[in-house]
Amino acid sequence: MNAPLDPAVASQAAQLERVLPALRKVLPNHALLWHDEETRPYECDGLTAYRQRPMAVALPETEAQVQGVLRACHALGVPVVARGAGTGLSGGAMPHREGVTLSLAKFNRIKSIDPASRTAVVECGVRNLAISEAAAAYGLYYAPDPSSQIACTIGGNVAENSGGVHCLKYGLTLHNVLKVRGFTADGEPVTFGSDALDTSGFDLMGVLVGSEGMLAVTTEVTVKLVPKPQLARCIMASFDDLRKAGDAVAAVIAAGIIPAGLEMMDKPMTAAVEDFVHAGYDLQAEAILLCESDGTPEEVEEEIGRMSEVLRGAGATAIAVSRDEAERLRFWSGRKNAFPASGRISPDYMCMDSTIPRKRLADILLAIQDMEKKYGLRCANVFHAGDGNLHPLILFDANDPDQLHRCELFGADILETSVAMGGTVTGEHGVGVEKLNSMCVQFAPEEREQMLGIKRAFDARGLLNPGKVIPTLQRCAEYGKLLVRGNRLPHPDLPRF
Amino acid sequence: MNAPLDPAVASQAAQLERVLPALRKVLPNHALLWHDEETRPYECDGLTAYRQRPMAVALPETEAQVQGVLRACHALGVPVVARGAGTGLSGGAMPHREGVTLSLAKFNRIKSIDPASRTAVVECGVRNLAISEAAAAYGLYYAPDPSSQIACTIGGNVAENSGGVHCLKYGLTLHNVLKVRGFTADGEPVTFGSDALDTSGFDLMGVLVGSEGMLAVTTEVTVKLVPKPQLARCIMASFDDLRKAGDAVAAVIAAGIIPAGLEMMDKPMTAAVEDFVHAGYDLQAEAILLCESDGTPEEVEEEIGRMSEVLRGAGATAIAVSRDEAERLRFWSGRKNAFPASGRISPDYMCMDSTIPRKRLADILLAIQDMEKKYGLRCANVFHAGDGNLHPLILFDANDPDQLHRCELFGADILETSVAMGGTVTGEHGVGVEKLNSMCVQFAPEEREQMLGIKRAFDARGLLNPGKVIPTLQRCAEYGKLLVRGNRLPHPDLPRF
């Protein structure tokens, strides 16, 4: 006699039995996985703290198969979670226990590149960097550059409205996409945006980009390409004081300069990465800024000059300007390797992702220093400083449940203090499952209800990526009680529940 | 004994009797108009072909009064049409016969300007140009510049996602707004966006901007400011062939240049404006291009040089570069006065506003030439060529019903041919009531249903600006029959009804 099944496992098995025949009608055998060992690799994305084995994984190869899977799941009321490369950091692609994970990995063709209109039409599973590699033949590239760009897909970028170090000057995914084709929850083909630069009626593409797979499944994207700048040079500036460094960022922007990149690292972060990559960072500095200029040689020279002057005026204690491309890449090597480097100084880290108005940079850094004492954990900071997007890395040991708990409280405190400073709980990683609670703090019930209304407008049965992004009223009510009861009181500037 | 009342007038009067007591509770006497002679000035906006006297006009002075009007109207099921300066060109502010026109003209205070973060907080009724005038003290300005910028308000700009000649480089209203405060249909206060550069959850501000007053009433806007360029210079280039001129636009962009402005006028247009403003336009040219560069003197010199080279390579027959600011303004004077100048060569004109992919510029111009013969009417063309946004001015005499009818057919033909070329039915003027039919051609029923779903998410009772932007299924069915039956067949590339 067998041991009694876990009820969760039993309900997943029952659901599979109900759905499998319909899926087998639309997918060949090799494109449908449901055995434990086959589906295990899909149990999480880049947010590895939360895991769930999907009921099944579909690997369609054609748009007709995508449509078939969606129609079958819609008819049977089965949740569908679309997945690109699985590099997301907020759990947006975390599977549903009784749902199908729809992997779009096989949609990896670049369909066309048009250098005259400076656009490319690519399938959703094409890697971000692959677009730039293909466009290089025409002197063009795709500007948004998430740190995961070697692996992440354009479909995932659309879902998360991904950014990167060059988005201050060149914009987020939303600003670099013209048209998105895909399917609604019930398998209807849809097109958002157009080949023209403007749109009519409500901006459906605007709401689709960044909707974290909850409104439609993307299969094809028309992206804008931009010319490769003739030259790029980077300034590395040291500061002996966090507030001066934060104010220097505001001063650069206030001087009318939009650098190609404007990044900040604090002392714990530079110490961690210097050991790892030997970028030549100033280890005495409380913070360093990396400021990049790109364009024609004349433009770059002029802008580097003005930026250096502003940084000196803001109190930089040392300034170095990259002399050649190798040195520029060395300056960036530390920034680009900040996450893996943190792995060398701590068993685990949690990467947060909030945004604050630029002028509050120093305030949030000092607040995070206070939180380090309050929660008894260290935090290393790396920022897209130019657009006020923080990536604090909270260092902890996941094997110690108390440290994990303190880390979660610390992270929520950063997010909610960012909101109190006029910011938001996510910059570019999305809400996913990670930041659901903090959405309760940022948005009033009416605002969350408007988001749910948009969800219903696209997906009345709530089958696309359910349970992500928008917290339920009940969840927010419970979180509110926790905040009031718990050891962490919400920031005094925040509205009370 | 009185003559029997027109039923429409009677129903308006009955509605007024029902609503007036509630409105008088929230507004002082001088802020509420309902007599015929008082409400007459509100019967249309810039689209003067359609007129409707509103039931009443509310002129609130405080946010509490706005909230009071919305709550009262929501409780009684009364439509509300928000209105800024009434300069819109698609009838977006056309009154509802049994509704309240909510004039926000008194919300005209600039609340703060922060040069460090380069933002301004302004009330919704502040004029577009007034923002730049106030920011000039800090060397800053607000970039989007509709031709009506001396009169139009920022609230109206948000509703229409307005553009202007500088939007190619600096973006539309959406790209220059950080945060919008206002009220929902039932009088709840709402905030869209934040003081930070990123957002969380669905992009509610993205869908609010351009929603033509159908989702919420805007009362306050936080805009981005940009530094005034040190220098601007303008190239005027002549072409002896429309196709060469259209291809020259694509060539400038393909060369990696984003001009501060890139505008095109055809021969009938330059002839009309030259008489009016004496800008020195080449009257022999089939088309002229105006290409502006702004930035530091070094940047401008370099870019003017590259643009001149590309334009010569594309076949320009003459090139002039403005030598000083007076000459630059003279070059632009014709473009800026294109609409009033048309009034001198024709009793009436209808200004269309569609968008096509840049590379189809020559194709649409040649198609419009064919349509001139087909409909027996002349058309003068002025374009935001850089972003493919057309403004054909169809010349007609509104006193001749047959000319008006042919003009409407001509206009719809331009819009729908633009869609067939991969474009959209509006660039920056909005759909309003003017382009409702053509929305049937651009969007599939499922896509229109998604827009209606978004409308319901914000305004379940459909009280904010009803009847605009999204055509009903029935209207589209009837328009489809007309297209098939009528003397104008839809473009062969369009899907059939």
Side-chain angles (χ1 to χ4, degrees):
Chain A
M1 194 177 137
N2 292 329
L5 269 176
D6 175 330
V9 174
S11 74
Q12 188 181 61
Q15 175 85 324
L16 181 64
E17 198 172 327
R18 195 169 75 88
V19 180
L20 207 49
L23 292 177
R24 293 179 99 157
K25 279 191 194 142
V26 294
L27 289 172
N29 277 340
H30 67 271
L32 188 56
L33 316 175
W34 69 87
H35 296 300
D36 193 76
E37 69 282 7
E38 294 171 333
T39 57
R40 187 69 65 190
Y42 296 89
E43 69 182 358
C44 66
D45 59 13
L47 180 73
T48 54
Y50 307 96
R51 288 165 193 265
Q52 169 62 53
R53 208 174 58 78
M55 174 194 73
V57 177
L59 291 149
E61 285 160 27
T62 66
E63 291 202 338
Q65 288 174 355
V66 172
Q67 185 174 45
V69 170
L70 287 166
R71 281 186 178 159
C73 289
H74 193 260
L76 295 166
V78 177
V80 174
V81 178
R83 180 186 177 100
T87 55
L89 290 167
S90 61
M94 200 185 73
H96 191 284
R97 193 178 65 198
E98 296 178 8
V100 172
T101 285
L102 183 68
S103 167
L104 295 153
K106 293 186 177 166
F107 284 76
N108 60 359
R109 287 186 316 140
I110 294 178
K111 298 177 88 168
S112 64
I113 294 181
D114 179 355
S117 64
R118 298 213 324 237
T119 55
V121 180
V122 303
E123 288 183 343
C124 60
V126 169
R127 292 175 304 108
N128 174 297
L129 192 61
I131 304 175
S132 292
E133 287 167 351
Y138 306 98
L140 300 170
Y141 75 111
Y142 175 67
D145 54 345
S147 294
S148 58
Q149 69 179 142
I150 196 169
C152 66
T153 65
I154 189 70
N157 291 178
V158 165
E160 303 295 331
N161 192 16
S162 304
V165 300
H166 288 94
C167 287
L168 174 62
K169 181 166 176 180
Y170 295 100
L172 300 167
T173 302
L174 176 62
H175 309 115
N176 289 277
V177 161
L178 273 180
K179 190 165 87 171
V180 176
R181 286 184 53 231
F183 293 92
T184 56
D186 55 352
E188 283 299 312
V190 273
T191 301
F192 304 93
S194 78
D195 291 322
L197 291 179
D198 297 300
T199 187
S200 313
F202 297 163
D203 186 2
L204 297 181
M205 195 180 79
V207 74
L208 178 83
V209 175
S211 63
E212 306 194 21
M214 291 183 69
L215 302 185
V217 173
T218 296
T219 53
E220 184 189 286
V221 185
T222 304
V223 301
K224 299 183 202 171
L225 302 172
V226 291
K228 279 183 94 149
Q230 292 174 37
L231 181 69
R233 291 183 78 193
C234 184
I235 300 175
M236 180 163 66
S238 306
F239 290 84
D240 59 7
D241 181 275
L242 279 179
R243 187 165 288 283
K244 282 186 201 160
D247 292 347
V249 170
V252 168
I253 303 293
I257 303 165
I258 303 289
L262 179 45
E263 302 278 315
M264 182 168 172
M265 285 184 276
D266 68 3
K267 197 174 192 175
M269 195 74 250
T270 48
V273 297
E274 186 59 22
D275 250 17
F276 189 47
V277 298
H278 312 293
Y281 292 156
D282 178 350
L283 297 178
Q284 304 308 312
E286 285 300 317
I288 66 165
L289 294 184
L290 295 173
C291 306
E292 183 150 295
S293 174
D294 66 14
T296 63
E298 297 76 20
E299 286 167 352
V300 170
E301 190 181 352
E302 197 268 335
E303 195 167 81
I304 289 281
R306 285 165 65 211
M307 287 200 295
S308 303
E309 200 177 305
V310 172
L311 292 168
R312 259 185 226 106
T317 53
I319 283 186
V321 183
S322 64
R323 283 159 298 188
D324 53 34
E325 186 64 6
E327 190 167 52
R328 185 181 78 86
L329 294 175
R330 189 161 60 76
F331 283 6
W332 281 109
S333 64
R335 169 62 188 88
K336 295 255 179 189
N337 288 289
F339 295 7
S342 306
R344 291 166 57 97
I345 55 167
S346 171
D348 297 281
Y349 64 88
M350 188 178 280
C351 172
M352 303 311 294
D353 161 53
S354 72
T355 305
I356 41 116
R358 219 152 27 211
K359 63 183 172 186
R360 304 300 299 269
L361 270 178
D363 296 331
I364 189 81
L365 279 170
L366 296 171
I368 289 173
Q369 284 190 343
D370 287 344
M371 293 178 206
E372 289 188 275
K373 294 177 203 126
K374 183 167 166 191
Y375 300 106
L377 292 172
R378 285 178 304 152
C379 182
N381 286 290
V382 55
F383 281 42
H384 300 312
D387 46 11
N389 183 196
L390 329 177
H391 290 316
L393 297 169
I394 308 173
L395 309 177
F396 72 109
D397 180 349
N399 288 323
D400 176 347
D402 185 58
Q403 280 202 33
L404 174 59
H405 178 63
R406 281 184 280 135
C407 176
E408 286 174 337
L409 291 175
F410 193 161
D413 205 350
I414 294 175
L415 298 185
E416 291 157 25
T417 302
S418 299
V419 172
M421 289 183 178
T424 75
V425 300
T426 169
E428 55 188 13
H429 296 174
V431 174
V433 293
E434 184 196 35
K435 306 185 189 85
L436 273 171
N437 287 341
S438 296
M439 288 288 282
C440 303
V441 173
Q442 183 172 354
F443 293 100
E446 296 77 23
E447 292 162 339
R448 297 195 305 269
E449 188 48 48
Q450 287 163 354
M451 292 189 198
L452 285 171
I454 291 176
K455 170 71 172 162
R456 282 192 292 270
F458 283 82
D459 175 19
R461 299 185 67 181
L463 295 176
L464 288 182
N465 215 9
K468 312 282 172 73
V469 183
I470 314 165
T472 58
L473 274 176
Q474 194 192 348
R475 184 182 189 116
C476 287
E478 283 167 14
Y479 188 59
K481 279 186 237 157
L482 266 183
L483 277 183
V484 172
R485 267 209 317 266
N487 61 353
R488 188 174 67 74
L489 284 171
H491 192 285
D493 293 354
L494 284 174
R496 296 285 158 171
F497 279 88
Chain B
M1 193 177 139
N2 292 329
L5 268 176
D6 175 330
V9 174
S11 75
Q12 189 181 59
Q15 174 86 321
L16 181 63
E17 199 172 328
R18 195 169 74 90
V19 180
L20 207 49
L23 291 176
R24 293 179 100 158
K25 279 192 195 141
V26 294
L27 288 172
N29 277 339
H30 66 271
L32 189 56
L33 316 176
W34 69 88
H35 295 300
D36 193 76
E37 69 281 8
E38 294 170 332
T39 56
R40 187 69 64 191
Y42 296 88
E43 69 182 359
C44 67
D45 59 13
L47 181 73
T48 54
Y50 306 96
R51 289 164 192 265
Q52 169 62 53
R53 207 175 59 78
M55 174 192 73
V57 177
L59 290 149
E61 286 160 25
T62 66
E63 291 202 339
Q65 289 174 355
V66 172
Q67 187 175 43
V69 170
L70 288 167
R71 280 186 178 159
C73 288
H74 192 259
L76 295 167
V78 177
V80 175
V81 178
R83 180 185 176 99
T87 56
L89 291 168
S90 61
M94 201 185 72
H96 191 283
R97 194 178 65 198
E98 295 178 8
V100 172
T101 285
L102 183 68
S103 167
L104 295 153
K106 293 187 178 164
F107 285 76
N108 59 0
R109 286 185 317 139
I110 293 177
K111 297 176 88 168
S112 64
I113 294 182
D114 178 353
S117 65
R118 299 215 322 239
T119 56
V121 180
V122 303
E123 289 183 342
C124 60
V126 169
R127 292 175 304 108
N128 174 298
L129 192 61
I131 304 174
S132 292
E133 285 167 353
Y138 306 98
L140 300 171
Y141 76 111
Y142 175 67
D145 54 345
S147 294
S148 57
Q149 70 179 142
I150 195 169
C152 65
T153 66
I154 189 71
N157 291 178
V158 165
E160 303 295 332
N161 192 16
S162 304
V165 299
H166 287 94
C167 287
L168 174 62
K169 180 165 176 180
Y170 295 100
L172 299 167
T173 302
L174 176 62
H175 309 116
N176 288 277
V177 161
L178 271 179
K179 189 165 86 170
V180 175
R181 287 183 53 231
F183 294 91
T184 55
D186 56 352
E188 282 300 311
V190 273
T191 301
F192 304 93
S194 78
D195 292 322
L197 291 179
D198 297 300
T199 189
S200 313
F202 296 163
D203 186 1
L204 296 181
M205 194 180 78
V207 75
L208 179 82
V209 175
S211 63
E212 307 196 20
M214 291 183 70
L215 302 185
V217 173
T218 297
T219 54
E220 185 189 286
V221 185
T222 304
V223 300
K224 298 184 203 171
L225 302 171
V226 291
K228 279 183 93 149
Q230 292 174 37
L231 180 69
R233 292 182 78 193
C234 184
I235 301 176
M236 181 163 65
S238 307
F239 289 85
D240 59 8
D241 180 273
L242 281 179
R243 185 166 289 283
K244 281 187 201 160
D247 292 347
V249 170
V252 168
I253 304 293
I257 304 165
I258 303 290
L262 180 44
E263 302 278 314
M264 183 168 173
M265 285 185 276
D266 68 3
K267 197 173 192 174
M269 195 73 251
T270 49
V273 298
E274 185 59 24
D275 250 19
F276 188 48
V277 297
H278 312 293
Y281 291 156
D282 180 350
L283 297 178
Q284 303 310 309
E286 284 301 318
I288 66 165
L289 294 184
L290 294 172
C291 305
E292 184 150 295
S293 174
D294 65 13
T296 63
E298 298 75 21
E299 285 167 352
V300 170
E301 189 182 352
E302 197 266 335
E303 196 168 81
I304 289 281
R306 285 165 66 212
M307 288 200 294
S308 303
E309 200 177 306
V310 173
L311 292 168
R312 260 187 224 102
T317 53
I319 282 186
V321 182
S322 65
R323 283 159 298 188
D324 52 33
E325 186 63 7
E327 191 168 50
R328 186 182 77 87
L329 294 176
R330 190 161 61 76
F331 283 5
W332 281 109
S333 63
R335 169 63 188 87
K336 295 256 178 189
N337 287 290
F339 294 6
S342 305
R344 293 164 58 95
I345 54 167
S346 171
D348 297 282
Y349 63 88
M350 188 178 280
C351 172
M352 302 313 293
D353 161 53
S354 72
T355 305
I356 41 116
R358 222 153 24 213
K359 62 182 171 187
R360 304 301 298 270
L361 270 177
D363 296 332
I364 189 83
L365 279 170
L366 297 172
I368 289 174
Q369 285 190 341
D370 287 343
M371 293 178 205
E372 288 188 276
K373 293 176 205 128
K374 183 169 166 190
Y375 299 107
L377 292 171
R378 284 178 304 150
C379 181
N381 287 291
V382 53
F383 281 41
H384 300 314
D387 45 11
N389 183 195
L390 328 177
H391 290 315
L393 298 169
I394 307 172
L395 309 177
F396 72 109
D397 181 349
N399 287 324
D400 175 348
D402 184 59
Q403 280 201 33
L404 174 59
H405 178 63
R406 280 185 279 135
C407 176
E408 286 174 336
L409 291 176
F410 192 161
D413 205 350
I414 294 174
L415 298 185
E416 292 157 25
T417 302
S418 299
V419 172
M421 289 184 179
T424 75
V425 300
T426 169
E428 57 190 11
H429 296 174
V431 174
V433 292
E434 183 196 35
K435 305 184 190 83
L436 273 171
N437 287 342
S438 296
M439 289 288 281
C440 303
V441 174
Q442 182 171 355
F443 293 101
E446 296 76 25
E447 291 162 339
R448 297 195 305 268
E449 187 48 47
Q450 287 163 352
M451 292 189 198
L452 285 171
I454 290 177
K455 169 71 171 165
R456 282 190 293 270
F458 284 81
D459 176 19
R461 301 184 64 181
L463 295 176
L464 288 181
N465 214 10
K468 312 283 171 74
V469 182
I470 315 164
T472 58
L473 275 176
Q474 194 192 348
R475 184 182 188 116
C476 287
E478 283 167 15
Y479 189 59
K481 280 187 237 156
L482 265 183
L483 277 183
V484 172
R485 266 209 318 266
N487 61 352
R488 188 174 67 75
L489 285 171
H491 191 285
D493 292 354
L494 285 172
R496 296 286 157 169
F497 280 89

